[in-house]
Every structure is written in C-alpha cells, then in structure tokens.
Amino acid sequence: MKKTLTIALVLLAATALEAAGNLRPPRSGVGLRVSAFGVPGVLLDPFLYEHPQVSGQAFTFEVRSYGNKGLRSVFSGVFALEYSHLEGSGFWREEQQDVRKEGGGEINQLSLTATVLLHIFPSLPVHPYVGAGIGIGRVSIWSEGVHRDELGTEVRDTYKETMVIPVGHLPVGLIARLSPRFEIRLEGGFKNGFYLGAGVVYTFR
C-alpha cells in the first residue's frame, strides 16, 4: 500500500512539474531573415574616390533571448550572423588624380552583432520595436575596370581591399505573432548599410 502511494505521489509530482514547465513562456528562439541591402556612398568614399552605387541582398541567422515574460517581455536580445553581397557597375577610381575606369565591383560582408530590442506594447500580437547593437565585421571590396592610355591601348585595373571593421546596428521593425511558437518580422534599419527585409522566428523554452 505504501509503495503504491509513493509511486502515485511521484507520478503526481512529475505531472505537476511538467504542467508547470508547459506554463513557462518561451525564453529562446532562432530566426532567419532575408533583406534587400545597400551601402550609402559616404561609407565607400574613404576607400574609393569615385565609385558606382552598390546594392544586393543580406542573409541573417539569429539567436534570440527573451525576458521572464517570454514573447511579451519589454526587452529581448538578438545575436546575429549575417552575410551580405552587393554589386554595382559604373565609373570608379581610387584617387582623384587617377584615370577613371569603367567596370563593375562587389562588396561582401560577414558580420557578428549583439542587439537589444525594445518592444512597444509587447502584449499585443502585432507590435513595433526599435533597437541598438554593436558588433564586428569582415568586409571585402573588389572592383575591376578598363581605360585607354595615351596610345589608345586598353588597360585593365583591379582594386581589392579586405578589412575588419566595427558594425553598428539600428533596427526598426514590426512583429506579427502567429502562435506561441512562430513570429513573422518585418525589419528595416542600418547595419553598415541600409536594409529592409522579412523573416520568421521559432521560439522554444
């Protein structure tokens, strides 16, 4: 009898603990985002005296952390790994005294950032948010073009530069909560370039 009672109490306690765990809100999540991306000319000016406009796409993997209220927390954290690829064509030159070259170029950036988000009315299934973050990135700049010298001979020039730079992140977005597990996010902002994209987030305990 005592053994049966003990087993019953253990099962009851286990059931109660499982139920309590199910009541806890999700505290973590992972997400993917795809964005249109562009770099303002002022950020390229220190490297190239003249350059075309560049634009492309960014692909982001995110790990998210929420407060005690889960998805209804006022603050949340985002750790993101992002790759962006941008292209452009037109005239470029490294220095003012250089000959103008006509051709194309590309910029590739791989960045790692940590960002804090402030959710506005987080209890609503659809609500906006803003944030700020910092990180580090590895940027590769490549361009190639042609020009003709005094004899009319076609000359091809190439410019390459790879560097590690700080990354600033200022996101603004809108969250649509589809279920306790899934969210859709529309987000724009600045991350060493301006971006606008959409993504999905899956949350878990």
Side-chain angles (χ1 to χ4, degrees):
M1 182 66 178
K2 289 183 179 181
K3 185 176 180 179
T4 303
L5 181 59
T6 301
I7 294 175
L9 290 175
V10 170
L11 292 175
L12 183 62
T15 303
L17 288 174
E18 183 179 358
N22 291 333
L23 292 176
R24 289 184 303 169
R27 297 289 300 276
S28 303
V30 293
L32 295 173
R33 188 180 76 243
V34 178
S35 307
F37 197 90
V39 175
V42 67
L43 295 182
L44 295 177
D45 291 345
F47 310 104
L48 294 170
Y49 178 79
E50 183 179 5
H51 51 79
Q53 292 295 318
V54 293
S55 60
Q57 288 185 311
F59 305 91
T60 311
F61 173 75
E62 300 175 336
V63 176
R64 295 181 173 267
S65 176
Y66 303 93
N68 293 330
K69 295 183 179 180
L71 300 180
R72 291 174 172 77
S73 301
V74 176
F75 292 99
S76 66
V78 182
F79 301 94
L81 178 65
E82 180 172 291
Y83 170 76
S84 59
H85 175 78
L86 303 95
E87 297 179 342
S89 61
F91 290 98
W92 66 272
R93 49 181 161 164
E94 296 179 46
E95 305 292 343
Q96 184 176 5
Q97 66 272 15
D98 292 341
V99 178
R100 298 179 80 198
K101 298 99 175 177
E102 184 176 9
E106 62 182 38
I107 299 174
N108 295 296
Q109 177 176 260
L110 183 66
S111 65
L112 183 65
T113 55
T115 303
V116 176
L117 301 181
L118 170 64
H119 298 266
I120 303 170
F121 305 116
S123 59
L124 298 179
V126 179
H127 67 269
Y129 63 90
V130 297
I134 58 173
I136 191 169
R138 182 181 184 275
V139 178
S140 299
I141 302 175
W142 172 88
S143 61
E144 185 177 72
V146 296
H147 71 277
R148 295 188 180 277
D149 60 15
E150 295 83 354
L151 301 177
T153 304
E154 188 176 275
V155 179
R156 183 175 298 275
D157 289 323
T158 301
Y159 172 83
K160 294 181 180 180
E161 183 76 30
T162 300
M163 68 207 81
V164 176
I165 61 173
V167 177
H169 187 203
L170 297 173
V172 177
L174 187 69
I175 293 174
R177 192 177 303 128
L178 303 180
S179 72
R181 295 295 189 190
F182 287 96
E183 293 180 339
I184 291 179
R185 297 188 177 223
L186 301 177
E187 183 175 298
F190 180 85
K191 186 186 280 190
N192 283 13
F194 293 101
Y195 69 92
L196 178 64
V200 61
V201 177
Y202 172 76
T203 61
F204 50 88
R205 293 176 179 84

